[in-house]
Amino acid sequence: MAAVVALVLGGIGGFAGGFYGLGGGVTGSEVEAMGDRIVELERQVTDLEEELAAGGGGGDDAGDAGDAGGAPVRIGVPAGWQETVAASHVWAQVLEELGYQVEVQEVADIAAVYMALANGDLDMTLGAWGEESQNYIDQNSADLEDLGSWFDEARLGIAVNEDAPITSLTELADHADEFNGEIVGIEEGAGVVQWTNQEAVPAYGLESMTVQTGSTEDMLLSVAEAIDAGENVAATFWSPHWALDELPMRLLEDPEGAYGEPASIHAYGTAGFSADHPELADCLTEISLTAEQMNSMVNTVVGGDGRADPDAAQQWLANNSDVVCDALA
């Protein structure tokens, strides 16, 4: 495995980090910033190409890419996307046990992942979800292949302690005092906070409650402290998240759909992936994790310290052997 992926605690590059952000106009300074970003993305892809070349992977003469023991399967991971990191290391363990060479490549920016897939410098990624991913998929669609979804319950919402007296957002306003009249949020610009203020608050009459904002780390600390003290707590959350496995928390039901429908996480490959790796493509269409499995995977493999542990990925697989598909059995 080529890299151990370093992460930021509570990485919110996925749903909560603004995939559902509400847009505005583009200023001249933003256009300039976009130009700078394109230059940076090109540099990242060049660095990735050099790293892969130095490692001997990905060349046309590297072997039969359709068979175990041939060319390495190069999995791109956008830095900070904990669910993608966890799934990539679990998938790497499965493939390595079957005789495949696997390289898990950290890429600093999600756009660079899709550029590298389109260029053939990566073979696949497991983290395609949300509006931002879709934008880059659309831009590179001719050179990408959708390998199907493997998790269909990704969602935003408000989570409460497991022994809280409510199960639905419809009940929160009537029990506001039992939650100190507040919802503990994360960064002000995060998508989950915007959806809470602009959709959930009016939909469920939560105007009397204050949506606090701060860092993700502060939110997690506040939740842990409230639970330790035996107090009720409501916080903006998203699934998958390691804390939903680590802490006795559960997402409230959202009958009005204020946070939208649950989303699917897809695997994407470079064009021709399923022809080169038919058994892997078939396997990806078979796998579908539950929310409980997903949260436990992120917690076990990545956890609160934000670092992937290949040994933990192996252990998670041993405890969840039913997620391995028949195509690779």
Side-chain angles (χ1 to χ4, degrees), residues 241-249 292 295-297 299-300:
H241 197 292
W242 63 267
L244 291 176
D245 181 67
E246 181 71 20
L247 300 173
M249 297 285 290
E292 291 76 16
N295 291 324
S296 73
M297 181 179 69
N299 190 28
T300 301

XYZ file of all heavy atoms in Angstrom, residues 241-249 292 295-297 299-300:
123
model
N -20.431 9.021 9.971
C -19.523 9.726 10.882
C -19.116 8.762 11.978
O -19.953 8.048 12.537
C -20.195 10.958 11.486
C -19.219 11.923 12.091
N -18.492 11.623 13.222
C -18.827 13.166 11.711
C -17.711 12.664 13.520
N -17.895 13.604 12.602
N -17.826 8.775 12.297
C -17.322 7.844 13.301
C -17.982 8.035 14.654
O -18.169 7.083 15.412
C -15.796 7.983 13.449
C -15.336 9.330 13.940
C -14.961 10.394 13.185
C -15.213 9.756 15.301
N -14.615 11.464 13.970
C -14.753 11.102 15.289
C -15.434 9.145 16.536
C -14.517 11.827 16.446
C -15.208 9.871 17.699
C -14.754 11.197 17.644
N -18.371 9.284 14.989
C -18.931 9.553 16.315
C -20.296 8.920 16.509
O -20.716 8.665 17.641
C -19.008 11.058 16.566
N -21.019 8.655 15.412
C -22.314 7.989 15.546
C -22.156 6.527 15.929
O -23.125 5.876 16.335
C -23.110 8.111 14.238
C -23.598 9.520 13.899
C -24.285 9.534 12.539
C -24.537 10.054 14.985
N -20.959 6.007 15.793
C -20.650 4.664 16.279
C -19.992 4.712 17.649
O -20.255 3.879 18.507
C -19.716 3.955 15.290
C -19.374 2.535 15.708
O -20.291 1.688 15.702
O -18.199 2.272 16.043
N -19.171 5.726 17.866
C -18.416 5.842 19.120
C -19.277 6.338 20.276
O -19.140 5.893 21.415
C -17.236 6.791 18.909
C -16.342 6.997 20.121
C -15.510 5.775 20.452
O -15.325 4.918 19.563
O -15.051 5.673 21.613
N -20.168 7.286 19.997
C -20.993 7.905 21.031
C -22.435 7.400 20.945
O -22.904 7.052 19.863
C -20.993 9.430 20.871
C -19.637 10.129 20.965
C -19.781 11.605 20.608
C -19.039 9.967 22.363
N -23.145 7.366 22.073
C -24.554 6.949 22.051
C -25.442 8.068 21.498
O -26.151 8.757 22.227
C -24.853 6.650 23.526
C -23.916 7.531 24.294
C -22.671 7.619 23.462
N -25.384 8.248 20.174
C -26.139 9.294 19.480
C -26.975 8.665 18.377
O -26.646 7.593 17.859
C -25.175 10.312 18.847
C -24.315 11.088 19.818
S -25.258 12.368 20.666
C -25.546 13.535 19.332
N -25.230 1.498 10.011
C -24.490 0.981 11.171
C -23.125 0.447 10.752
O -22.112 0.711 11.413
C -25.297 -0.115 11.864
C -26.552 0.355 12.572
C -27.698 0.674 11.611
O -27.633 0.253 10.413
O -28.647 1.359 12.039
N -20.838 3.553 9.716
C -20.324 4.330 10.834
C -19.292 3.548 11.632
O -18.288 4.109 12.090
C -21.476 4.786 11.736
C -22.352 5.830 11.076
O -21.872 6.685 10.342
N -23.647 5.754 11.319
N -19.513 2.247 11.792
C -18.537 1.438 12.532
C -17.248 1.298 11.733
O -16.147 1.263 12.302
C -19.109 0.059 12.873
O -19.194 -0.780 11.742
N -17.353 1.234 10.403
C -16.153 1.150 9.573
C -15.312 2.411 9.717
O -14.087 2.344 9.909
C -16.525 0.933 8.111
C -15.328 0.819 7.180
S -15.803 0.544 5.444
C -16.551 2.131 5.052
N -15.349 4.551 12.178
C -14.841 4.627 13.541
C -13.681 3.670 13.769
O -12.678 4.010 14.403
C -15.967 4.326 14.535
C -15.572 4.613 15.976
O -14.731 5.462 16.238
N -16.179 3.902 16.911
N -13.785 2.457 13.227
C -12.758 1.450 13.445
C -11.491 1.747 12.662
O -10.380 1.664 13.196
C -13.280 0.054 13.041
O -14.441 -0.250 13.814
C -12.229 -1.020 13.283
